[in-house]
């Protein structure tokens, strides 16, 4: 197994360029299934999740070509030979379920393995299925699979989401884009990734209005065509490096970051004592590393993002005073706490809140990434810890950060990726 070895204490100076957004790329790749001609997606990050999703499409008989150097993906879904996604692929990534909406819209049929559990919570798919049923699909669940059929096509409907689920909003938008008549989706998710998906679908010929607001209206169209489209920058990657600069100290320019997507992150970093300057090309973070305690509470967008909770908790461990971190989106997103405590953090869990008493220093030691954002938090902690930190279980980090080691090394961090003795023998 590989691990990251980090020697803390270096300040960060220079520029890090942000890659395309993981949480936008995956639904965009799914949306290419709606096109009857080739699609070209630009700004595609080199991530494990992208590779996994590509394998799902290839299993469907779709041609997928990814150019790592140019960060482009060519998807030809002119002909799709299968509407079934097996367990061995879906189990690797729950986002694979996003293919159900496009397949149902285009072919009136989709069969997908039940996605199973998730490390950070249950993430139920019932909202997806209720949306499909409202559009006229018949849902059958059995033998580990979910099968949705609509032999006569889907029909527009008024749908209210009990919770503004990002995945359900995306899946329903894609399904409704080719349904007969109008679909009105109420209480949808507002995330920038939702707006990006709607923009891409509209370039393909869809008629979607209101993405990013409380009501999305979709007029179904008979056909969509593949187009060229560039994904938005990754706001969570940007936020992670902004926190790194605040913790380690220095002067870091986060190129390609969009301030309008990062308002709660910017506000909390300022509250903690970092200096933030915004311009048209990115965000500059300056810090002396001496931070104040803050309280955060995760909420659906535009509230504080749950995907930044672990990174900010790492920051509060070295901030002066007592911070309270409340998680309201996922029920099991404090798995990084025990690993941070191994490094000397003073954290107490009280239900879905964590009380963090800042300490003068963290101490490097072997830790493991328990999920994607927990892994990022441990990397940040390693950047400021005394001595050497080893972060294992890197497959979690590889799911969401393109070139993390190279980017951090480029601004002064002492971090490298190494293999174990067993790996080297091979």
């Amino acid at each position: 197994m590989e691990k990251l070895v980090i020697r803390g204490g270096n300040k960060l100076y220079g520029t890090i360029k942000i890659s395309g957004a993981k949480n936008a790329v995956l639904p965009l790749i799914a949306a290419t299934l709606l096109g009857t001609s080739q699609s070209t997606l630009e700004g595609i990050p080199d991530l494990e999740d992208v590779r996994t999703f590509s394998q799902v499409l290839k299993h469907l008989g779709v041609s997928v070509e990814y150019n790592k150097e140019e960060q482009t993906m060519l998807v030809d879904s002119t002909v799709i030979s299968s509407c079934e996604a097996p367990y061995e692929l879906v189990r690797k990534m729950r986002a694979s379920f996003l293919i159900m909406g496009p397949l149902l819209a285009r072919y009136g049929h989709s069969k997908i393995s039940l996605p199973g559990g998730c490390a950070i919570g249950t993430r139920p798919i019932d909202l997806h299925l209720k949306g499909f049923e409202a559009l006229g699909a018949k849902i059958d669940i059995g033998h580990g699979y979910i099968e949705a059929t609509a032999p006569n096509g889907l029909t527009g409907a008024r749908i209210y989401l009990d919770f503004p689920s990002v995945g359900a909003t995306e899946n329903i938008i894609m399904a409704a884009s080719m349904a007969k008549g109008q679909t009105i989706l109420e209480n949808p998710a507002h995330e920038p990734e939702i707006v990006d998906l709607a923009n891409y679908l509209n370039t393909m010929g869809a008629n979607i209005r209101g993405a990013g607001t409380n009501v999305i209206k979709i007029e179904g169209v008979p056909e969509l065509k593949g187009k060229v489209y560039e994904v938005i920058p990754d706001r969570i990657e940007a936020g992670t490096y902004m926190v790194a600069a605040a913790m380690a100290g220095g002067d870091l320019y986060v190129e390609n970051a969009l301030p309008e997507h990062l308002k709660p992150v910017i506000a909390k970093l300022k509250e903690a004592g970092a200096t933030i300057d915004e311009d048209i090309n990115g965000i500059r973070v300056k810090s002396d590393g001496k931070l104040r305690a803050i309280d955060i509470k995760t909420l659906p967008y535009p509230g504080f993002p749950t995907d930044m909770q672990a990174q900010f908790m790492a920051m509060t461990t070295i901030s002066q005073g007592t911070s309270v971190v409340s998680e309201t989106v996922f029920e099991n997103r404090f798995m990084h706490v025990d690993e941070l405590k191994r490094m000397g953090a003073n954290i107490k869990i009280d239900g879905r809140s964590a009380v963090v008493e800042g300490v003068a220093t963290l101490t490097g030691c072997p830790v493991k990434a328990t999920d994607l954002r927990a892994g990022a938090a441990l990397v940040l902690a390693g950047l400021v810890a005394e001595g050497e930190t080893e972060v294992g279980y890197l497959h979690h980090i590889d799911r969401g950060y393109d070139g993390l080691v190279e980017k951090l090394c480029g601004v002064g961090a002492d971090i490298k990726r190494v293999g174990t003795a067993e790996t080297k023998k091979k």
Side-chain angles (χ1 to χ4, degrees):
M1 291 177 64
E2 291 183 303
K3 60 187 177 184
L4 297 179
V5 178
I6 309 167
R7 287 192 173 275
N10 291 5
K11 294 185 182 297
L12 305 181
Y13 293 95
T15 298
I16 287 180
K17 186 174 182 180
I18 299 305
S19 303
K22 176 186 89 76
N23 290 339
V25 164
L26 302 181
L28 291 183
I29 296 174
T32 64
L33 295 173
L34 291 162
T36 56
S37 59
Q38 180 176 279
S39 299
T40 301
L41 301 179
E42 300 176 338
I44 305 301
D46 183 25
L47 302 174
E48 187 62 34
D49 274 10
V50 171
R51 290 188 283 273
T52 300
F53 212 108
S54 297
Q55 289 300 315
V56 174
L57 265 63
K58 290 177 180 178
H59 181 85
L60 303 177
V62 174
S63 172
V64 181
E65 297 179 18
Y66 176 60
N67 187 312
K68 179 179 177 180
E69 286 69 34
E70 297 182 2
Q71 294 193 319
T72 58
M73 179 176 286
L74 306 181
V75 183
D76 190 344
S77 58
T78 304
V79 177
I80 297 177
S81 60
S82 172
C83 288
E84 182 174 328
Y87 174 72
E88 57 265 24
L89 290 175
V90 177
R91 71 177 177 83
K92 295 181 181 179
M93 186 178 63
R94 290 182 60 89
S96 303
F97 198 70
L98 288 173
I99 68 172
M100 179 163 270
L103 291 176
L104 194 56
R106 189 169 168 191
Y107 288 100
H109 176 239
S110 182
K111 185 177 181 181
I112 300 178
S113 170
L114 283 165
C118 175
I120 60 172
T122 55
R123 292 189 176 190
I125 56 173
D126 60 318
L127 294 177
H128 301 242
L129 302 182
K130 288 178 181 178
F132 296 151
E133 286 181 319
L135 294 171
K138 179 184 178 183
I139 307 294
D140 290 312
I141 303 177
H143 305 289
Y145 277 83
I146 300 173
E147 187 169 15
T149 54
N152 298 318
L154 300 174
T155 303
R158 181 180 289 269
I159 302 169
Y160 179 85
L161 293 181
D162 296 329
F163 178 83
S165 160
V166 174
T169 299
E170 292 166 342
N171 234 339
I172 293 169
I173 287 175
M174 289 187 283
S177 65
M178 293 178 65
K180 302 181 186 74
Q182 184 185 72
T183 296
I184 298 176
L185 183 57
E186 299 176 306
N187 196 35
H190 293 195
E191 273 75 358
E193 295 80 11
I194 300 292
V195 178
D196 206 38
L197 174 61
N199 288 342
Y200 175 51
L201 290 169
N202 283 339
T203 67
M204 297 175 73
N207 185 353
I208 303 169
R209 293 172 293 155
T213 73
N214 292 326
V215 178
I216 301 176
K217 295 181 179 179
I218 306 138
E219 296 285 349
V221 298
E223 185 180 47
L224 296 173
K225 296 284 189 180
K227 295 290 182 179
V228 178
Y229 190 80
E230 184 174 4
V231 66
I232 57 173
D234 195 315
R235 60 193 171 99
I236 305 303
E237 184 194 18
T240 300
Y241 292 127
M242 290 166 67
V243 173
M247 291 176 67
D251 186 343
L252 183 67
Y253 186 71
V254 186
E255 184 183 346
N256 206 31
L258 298 178
E260 59 267 35
H261 292 173
L262 289 156
K263 290 180 180 179
V265 170
I266 291 170
K268 285 298 177 179
L269 285 175
K270 287 181 177 179
E271 185 181 334
T275 300
I276 310 292
D277 295 314
E278 308 168 18
D279 63 38
I280 193 170
N281 295 313
I283 302 171
R284 184 179 185 184
V285 182
K286 291 185 286 185
S287 170
D288 58 8
K290 298 176 182 178
L291 303 171
R292 298 185 292 269
I294 57 170
D295 295 341
I296 64 170
K297 181 178 181 180
T298 65
L299 291 166
Y301 191 87
F304 190 92
T306 181
D307 279 351
M308 284 301 304
Q309 178 256 105
Q311 299 92 307
F312 265 79
M313 186 182 291
M315 186 181 78
T316 63
T317 65
I318 59 164
S319 299
Q320 185 175 6
T322 302
S323 303
V324 179
V325 179
S326 302
E327 175 60 58
T328 74
V329 179
F330 291 121
E331 72 277 8
N332 191 27
R333 205 159 200 180
F334 283 154
M335 292 188 294
H336 46 280
V337 168
D338 286 341
E339 301 302 301
L340 289 171
K341 288 169 72 172
R342 283 173 50 79
M343 300 178 71
N346 184 354
I347 308 172
K348 293 182 174 62
I349 302 295
D350 182 9
R352 295 183 72 161
S353 294
V355 179
V356 187
E357 186 71 37
V359 297
T361 58
L362 297 175
T363 304
C365 67
V367 291
K368 63 180 181 181
T370 52
D371 62 67
L372 168 56
R373 307 308 174 185
L378 295 173
V379 170
L380 299 185
L383 293 176
V384 299
E386 290 185 347
E388 188 172 273
T389 301
E390 297 180 358
V391 183
Y393 290 72
L394 299 190
H395 59 280
H396 289 299
I397 297 174
D398 291 340
R399 288 185 48 231
Y401 290 92
D402 183 1
L404 178 138
V405 171
E406 294 78 8
K407 289 179 179 180
L408 285 173
C409 282
V411 294
D414 186 345
I415 177 173
K416 60 184 177 180
R417 186 172 183 136
V418 301
T420 62
E422 290 76 16
T423 303
K424 292 176 181 177
K425 288 177 183 178
K426 295 178 181 178

